[in-house]
Amino acid sequence: MRSQPGRLDASGETILGLPTEKYEPKKRSLGSTIAVIVSCTMALVINLFNTTSTSIALPTIGRDLNIVQAKLQWLVSAYSLSSGCLLVLLGRLADLYGRKWVFMLGSASLAAFTLGCGFAPNELALDVLRGFQGVGAAATIPASLGILAHTFPVGSGKVRSIAFATFAAGAPVGAFMGNCLGAVLDQLAKTSWRSNFFLSCGLTVFYMIIGWFSIDKDEPAPPGMDRRVDWIGGFLITAGLVLIIYVLSDGETAPDRWATSYIIACLVIGCLLVGLFLVWQWYLEKVQNTPNMPYSVWTPPPLMKLSLWSRGKGRFSVIMVIALLTWCTFLGWNFWATLYYQNYAKLTPISTMLRFIPMFVTGVICDIIIILTIHRVSVIWILGAGTLITGCAPIFFAVINPRSPYWAFGFPSAICSVFGADFVFAAGTLFVSKIVEDDEQSLSGALFQTMTQIGTAIGVIVTTIVFNRVIVQDSAKLGATVTPNTNFDEVPQRAQLYAYQAAQWAAFAFCMIATIFVIIWFRGVGIIGEKSKGEEKSVPEEKAKPLDVYQDSMPPSMPPTPTTAYMPDQNLESATEFSERQHSKSSGSLASLTAVLPWPRLSPTFHVDLEKAYTTPMSSASSVQLQSASPNHYD
């Protein structure tokens, strides 16, 4: 396995510089670099466009297809449901069989079903097509992240940070485009809301063409790589997530709500399938890590190593939760702000769109801020600022006075909304890409995007539950009876306002929880971005210092070329843990290995018997042989 210089180790707080084969990124022209970034970013733009353009057109779609208010959220959730549930499987396929191949096929599928949505004759057809539309997005997004990570690997300098920051900007830009163009087409186009799907189809084909000519061809699989797919695991996780999110989506509108028999059954079966998936992945990973295990067609490599979630001392798991919570707030706020403007304030789609323009301007500014600061500022400040500021967006609607001007509540809310989407996505994907292996880039990107897609569904679902509960209770207090089939115009205005405010309070809570997670878990992680070539490489603050391993400190059989290792402190991954992890991945041939030791820095006279460390069976007592006179050699 190749090691890229500057990669964070499993602790997420230090850099490894293993003297194995160095990965040299392909030299490309400025135009080619821009084309790759544009193609991948447009995939994310279209993904958000497909969500927000549908959201802003919901009232029109509801009137045109005779869909009641309580079921409108399914048009948003169906897309997030299918894409979120298939991201893991398709991300793993991209890592195994080629990211460009999966990217192109996923884009073609997305274009085809998006076109079909434009011709949907009724509610059922549109729901089904929206679900299939999400399958294409599930293929393109993780493949895009894998393509960026491979095209601009660690060590590429500032261009890597620019690539990931630009990709992250695709979220707010896509949300703005969906609101802006979606509103204009919904109100002015002859085909109304259907025009949004036609436009999305055309843009998808456009970035497909760019990607076909600019994205590098998939490299042949390394010799001996096991490319078997864990189809059993893929079925278990996909079916489990489908059932669970279906329950969350339909539980509120079922005949007996959460007490409905099929809701309870689906929830139990869904949780059982997810539990079986986790056990199955644990077993497959154990089999893969057991030496001399006999070959079996029933034990392929796991779809997702459970140990992946413990990377970075558990911070891999935490950043996933932070992404989920941030998107709960971002899309929950967007969903209810759109409905407030159109259903309560009775604004036209274009008037609604104009109120979301600050999102686009702020998104561009956030992208510039990320590019300028990601290699200078500790990640805790970036993540914390993003979650905290985005959490403020729902507050303005939660306390809104309908008689006040737009500038008092709507304008600051729109500005605050995009900080989390931009900052968390850029910093989160950069952090994840540094603590996972080369053959896990698309999978890790898929998991990250899974969290954002499921966060979209959960954010809309939970806030919808709050909205429905409040509107029923407050209407009863005002002497009106509201049922799921009640025409929304018959609901008292005051009850509507309280319900919209309550939904926004629920959206606010998600980001506040995310901010607490950032403060607790990301203290001391440091800087994750890279400076331009020629500048000093960025490493986490006070957590990693370079150590020059000179020729006279190396065993005679080791290469004479000086290398640079980075030494973690005692809180990071131990030498035994790291050596065992590397030993379990080796194929048996003698290879270079730099041991990572739990001290800040060692003097040049302190060295490691690398050959013996590699060839001697690992144990908790001794995995490396250290040659040192006394602790006085430590700086």
Side-chain angles (χ1 to χ4, degrees):
M1 183 186 68
R2 294 180 298 187
S3 175
Q4 298 173 6
R7 178 176 298 285
L8 289 178
D9 76 348
S11 68
E13 299 184 18
T14 187
I15 305 284
L16 299 179
L18 304 180
T20 55
E21 178 185 352
K22 184 177 180 180
Y23 177 76
E24 292 292 344
K26 174 184 175 182
K27 293 182 179 180
R28 56 178 66 247
S29 64
L30 177 61
S32 176
T33 298
I34 293 175
V36 173
I37 296 175
V38 167
S39 179
C40 294
T41 302
M42 280 194 67
L44 183 60
V45 169
I46 296 303
N47 183 41
L48 269 294
F49 178 89
N50 288 335
T51 299
T52 53
S53 64
T54 302
S55 295
I56 201 167
L58 285 178
T60 306
I61 297 174
R63 290 191 297 268
D64 191 16
L65 300 182
N66 196 27
I67 304 174
V68 298
Q69 174 82 16
K71 294 184 178 181
L72 280 178
Q73 54 91 14
W74 253 113
L75 297 178
V76 178
S77 297
Y79 180 85
S80 301
L81 171 66
S82 59
S83 59
C85 293
L86 287 170
L87 278 164
V88 175
L89 177 60
L90 295 177
R92 185 58 180 160
L93 288 175
D95 280 329
L96 292 176
Y97 291 98
R99 290 151 186 154
K100 183 175 183 178
W101 179 79
V102 172
F103 179 84
M104 299 307 297
L105 286 181
S107 299
S109 171
L110 178 61
F113 285 107
T114 301
L115 184 63
C117 288
F119 293 100
N122 52 50
E123 175 189 356
L124 178 61
L126 185 57
D127 283 340
V128 172
L129 288 169
R130 283 282 287 173
F132 280 108
Q133 186 187 23
V135 175
T140 57
I141 301 304
S144 298
L145 281 166
I147 288 169
L148 289 179
H150 179 77
T151 305
F152 310 106
V154 177
S156 299
K158 190 181 290 186
V159 66
R160 175 180 169 87
S161 298
I162 293 174
F164 276 86
T166 304
F167 185 81
V173 170
F176 168 77
M177 286 181 57
N179 283 318
C180 178
L181 297 179
V184 172
L185 293 175
D186 181 42
Q187 183 172 336
L188 300 181
K190 184 177 181 180
T191 52
S192 187
W193 57 270
R194 300 179 187 273
S195 300
N196 292 327
F197 294 109
F198 299 148
L199 175 61
S200 177
C201 177
L203 293 175
T204 302
V205 173
F206 174 70
Y207 80 70
M208 276 180 63
I209 296 173
I210 297 177
W212 178 266
F213 290 103
S214 62
I215 298 173
D216 297 338
K217 292 182 179 180
D218 295 317
E219 296 180 356
M225 179 181 180
D226 192 343
R227 297 205 297 171
R228 291 177 296 161
V229 179
D230 176 21
W231 295 109
I232 295 177
F235 167 76
L236 291 174
I237 188 61
T238 301
L241 288 176
V242 166
L243 290 175
I244 290 174
I245 299 183
Y246 168 74
V247 167
L248 294 175
S249 301
D250 209 51
E252 190 66 11
T253 58
D256 295 324
R257 293 188 174 179
W258 297 98
T260 307
S261 58
Y262 69 82
I263 291 294
I264 297 174
C266 289
L267 180 60
V268 172
I269 296 173
C271 292
L272 179 62
L273 290 175
V274 172
L276 289 174
F277 168 76
L278 297 176
V279 173
W280 178 243
Q281 298 306 291
W282 171 82
Y283 172 73
L284 291 182
E285 185 173 3
K286 182 180 179 181
V287 169
Q288 293 294 316
N289 292 335
T290 302
N292 303 321
M293 176 64 67
Y295 176 88
S296 172
V297 295
W298 298 106
T299 54
L303 191 69
M304 178 194 71
K305 298 177 182 178
L306 291 189
S307 60
L308 184 67
W309 293 86
S310 64
R311 301 276 177 87
K313 298 179 71 174
R315 291 188 178 93
F316 182 94
S317 301
V318 177
I319 195 66
M320 295 297 170
V321 174
I322 291 171
L324 182 147
L325 294 171
T326 303
W327 254 252
C328 284
T329 296
F330 178 51
L331 268 300
W333 167 85
N334 187 281
F335 181 82
W336 291 107
T338 301
L339 292 180
Y340 171 85
Y341 283 135
Q342 295 193 48
N343 287 350
Y344 183 84
K346 304 300 181 182
L347 299 178
T348 64
I350 291 182
S351 297
T352 300
M353 172 271 296
L354 293 174
R355 283 158 173 75
F356 287 108
I357 287 181
M359 288 177 58
F360 173 74
V361 178
T362 307
V364 173
I365 295 174
C366 286
D367 189 28
I368 296 173
I369 292 174
I370 285 290
I371 293 173
L372 295 177
T373 62
I374 194 70
H375 60 286
R376 302 176 186 273
V377 179
S378 176
V379 68
I380 187 174
W381 295 105
I382 297 174
L383 293 175
T387 55
L388 185 62
I389 297 175
T390 291
C392 293
I395 292 180
F396 290 99
F397 275 91
V399 298
I400 194 170
N401 182 350
R403 298 180 180 179
S404 298
Y406 163 74
W407 307 102
F409 295 95
F411 178 72
S413 182
I415 289 178
C416 292
S417 65
V418 299
F419 277 85
D422 233 338
F423 286 9
V424 171
F425 204 107
T429 51
L430 266 175
F431 176 79
V432 167
S433 70
K434 283 194 170 186
I435 63 173
V436 302
E437 305 294 348
D438 296 339
D439 60 350
E440 296 172 335
Q441 291 293 339
S442 292
L443 173 63
S444 62
L447 290 171
F448 193 94
Q449 190 64 20
T450 296
M451 294 299 105
T452 63
Q453 292 284 33
I454 294 178
T456 298
I458 292 177
V460 172
I461 291 164
V462 172
T463 53
T464 297
I465 292 173
V466 173
F467 179 89
N468 291 340
R469 288 284 191 273
V470 172
I471 205 168
V472 170
Q473 294 174 2
D474 283 31
S475 296
K477 293 177 181 178
L478 296 173
T481 302
V482 176
T483 66
N485 296 320
T486 301
N487 190 311
F488 195 70
D489 293 334
E490 299 175 3
V491 178
Q493 282 278 308
R494 183 178 298 179
Q496 291 184 35
L497 177 61
Y498 290 160
Y500 282 118
Q501 291 175 333
Q504 294 287 8
W505 277 119
F508 160 77
F510 290 119
C511 252
M512 293 304 100
I513 297 173
T515 304
I516 295 173
F517 275 43
V518 171
I519 296 172
I520 294 175
W521 288 91
F522 280 85
R523 288 182 297 173
V525 171
I527 299 171
I528 61 172
E530 295 184 24
K531 297 182 180 180
S532 300
K533 292 184 179 180
E535 299 181 70
E536 183 181 355
K537 287 187 178 180
S538 172
V539 298
E541 296 173 348
E542 302 301 327
K543 292 295 179 182
K545 298 181 181 181
L547 166 69
D548 290 328
V549 185
Y550 293 97
Q551 180 179 352
D552 60 354
S553 300
M554 304 297 290
S557 60
M558 296 302 292
T561 305
T563 46
T564 299
Y566 291 85
M567 315 310 292
D569 65 17
Q570 65 271 18
N571 295 321
L572 307 186
E573 182 181 40
S574 69
T576 299
E577 292 171 338
F578 176 74
S579 300
E580 288 176 345
R581 184 161 60 85
Q582 293 297 323
H583 185 267
S584 66
K585 297 174 183 175
S586 66
S587 61
S589 60
L590 185 61
S592 301
L593 176 66
T594 297
V596 179
L597 308 175
W599 291 281
R601 190 172 65 183
L602 310 176
S603 69
T605 60
F606 188 97
H607 70 269
V608 182
D609 188 344
L610 298 173
E611 282 190 298
K612 191 169 184 179
Y614 183 79
T615 57
T616 302
M618 303 300 169
S619 68
S620 59
S622 175
S623 62
V624 293
Q625 299 297 321
L626 307 180
Q627 315 299 323
S628 176
S630 70
N632 294 330
H633 286 104
Y634 308 154
D635 286 341

